[in-house]
Amino acid sequence: MGGAGVSANSRMARYHATEEPEMQETQSVSPYQRRPALARWLAVLVLLLTLTVGLRMTVFNATYTAGVVSRSTTGERIINQLNDELQSYGISGSPITTSLAQPYLAMGVAQLYGQTPTTSVDDTDLSSAVSSQAVTMGTTASNRVISRIAKQAGKLAKTAFGTPAMKQAAIKIQFAQKVNLWVMIATLLLLVVTFFYALSVHHVFASLGPGLTLGGLLTTIAGAVSYVGLPLVVTSSSQTVAALLTTIGHNGLAVIIFMGIAEIIVGLVVLLGHRTFRNA
């Protein structure tokens, strides 16, 4: 009787001995948890951040806008007036170019954003271009002529952006600029909170790839739709002002679309890298 009990106990001991490691091994392996809601939330934040940062770098940036204006109809008209005035001094050949006029146009563009226009611009490049063209024409450009052209460039730029229609547009632009800044700051704060949450659940890179990809796709779509619909949204009492604002907006949205495409590519690379690392 005692031997039968011992053998039964030994069989039970062997059974439990083989069962416990299997149970421990099963408990130690935690299955990978997908968090699609976190990735979608990150995509929305990527969309908002790309739009706000992109607009702040382009449409709401006086320096960038001045470059766009220098290539627009408004900029061409001012440049032509300056070159016509140079012809009255015997200097033809249109030495005033878009790059030379851009710093002076920035003095006028600053008014759109409620900034104080710069009182002076370094006219070294302008002086060099005009003097070189004057030598080609067999004449000389005095300092008085160059100073007059530089002052005239600033005056024309300020006048072009000081019309009643431009002032009305400036009010809307400055309001949109403030809203854009507030949304950008709020998005950055939410991104910080989201990052720490993703870190706490060990889902940073797992959400980063899908979030960037989907966010880039949404940004590209939103940019393309805005690009097409912008002429219908921009309204002004002046057709010239409406055309100028549309040109500025189109340039900014083109940059945002490019940023969205770049985010899609980076997101796919991160997604592929994370899956490869996880499978390995």
Side-chain angles (χ1 to χ4, degrees):
M1 295 290 290
V6 171
S7 61
N9 290 334
S10 62
R11 285 197 300 270
M12 291 294 294
R14 287 196 301 270
Y15 174 76
H16 287 294
T18 57
E19 182 183 25
E20 288 177 0
E22 293 180 359
M23 294 178 60
Q24 292 176 358
E25 183 179 358
T26 303
Q27 293 174 358
S28 63
V29 178
S30 57
Y32 172 74
Q33 294 183 359
R34 290 182 174 273
R35 298 181 183 273
L38 181 59
R40 288 193 294 267
W41 170 246
L42 181 60
V44 173
L45 295 180
V46 169
L47 167 64
L48 294 176
L49 185 64
T50 307
L51 289 176
T52 52
V53 172
L55 290 175
R56 186 169 178 81
M57 291 171 52
T58 58
V59 175
F60 299 132
N61 185 329
T63 303
Y64 180 88
T65 302
V68 176
V69 173
S70 66
R71 299 185 296 271
S72 68
T73 304
T74 301
E76 290 177 356
R77 184 170 61 251
I78 294 175
I79 292 171
N80 290 336
Q81 290 177 352
L82 294 174
N83 285 320
D84 290 342
E85 186 166 347
L86 280 174
Q87 283 188 353
S88 65
Y89 294 103
I91 304 173
S92 60
S94 301
I96 307 297
T97 60
T98 56
S99 59
L100 293 176
Q102 181 175 341
Y104 300 95
L105 291 172
M107 299 172 66
V109 171
Q111 299 174 181
L112 283 177
Y113 304 103
Q115 302 172 359
T116 303
T118 55
T119 56
S120 62
V121 177
D122 185 6
D123 60 355
T124 303
D125 294 336
L126 177 67
S127 176
S128 177
V130 173
S131 298
S132 299
Q133 186 63 24
V135 171
T136 304
M137 301 301 298
T139 183
T140 58
S142 64
N143 292 333
R144 183 180 64 84
V145 171
I146 294 174
S147 177
R148 178 179 175 80
I149 293 299
K151 291 180 179 178
Q152 185 68 5
K155 180 180 179 181
L156 289 174
K158 291 180 181 179
T159 302
F161 288 90
T163 62
M166 279 291 185
K167 291 180 179 179
Q168 288 295 325
I171 296 174
K172 298 177 182 178
I173 290 175
Q174 292 170 29
F175 175 76
Q177 188 179 17
K178 291 179 181 178
V179 172
N180 184 77
L181 178 61
W182 295 336
V183 174
M184 184 180 68
I185 294 174
T187 303
L188 287 172
L189 294 176
L190 289 173
L191 271 174
V192 172
V193 174
T194 303
F195 170 77
F196 283 108
Y197 171 76
L199 196 64
S200 66
V201 296
H202 306 288
H203 215 270
V204 177
F205 287 101
S207 299
L208 183 61
L212 276 175
T213 304
L214 180 58
L217 179 61
L218 293 175
T219 300
T220 304
I221 295 174
V225 172
S226 300
Y227 191 97
V228 175
L230 184 62
L232 303 177
V233 177
V234 175
T235 57
S236 175
S237 58
S238 171
Q239 187 175 0
T240 302
V241 174
L244 179 61
L245 296 181
T246 301
T247 301
I248 295 172
H250 276 167
N251 277 268
L253 290 171
V255 173
I256 291 175
I257 293 173
F258 176 79
M259 292 171 66
I261 295 174
E263 288 169 351
I264 294 174
I265 297 173
V266 174
L268 290 175
V269 171
V270 173
L271 184 62
L272 179 61
H274 177 263
R275 286 188 175 181
T276 303
F277 178 79
R278 180 162 56 89
N279 293 333

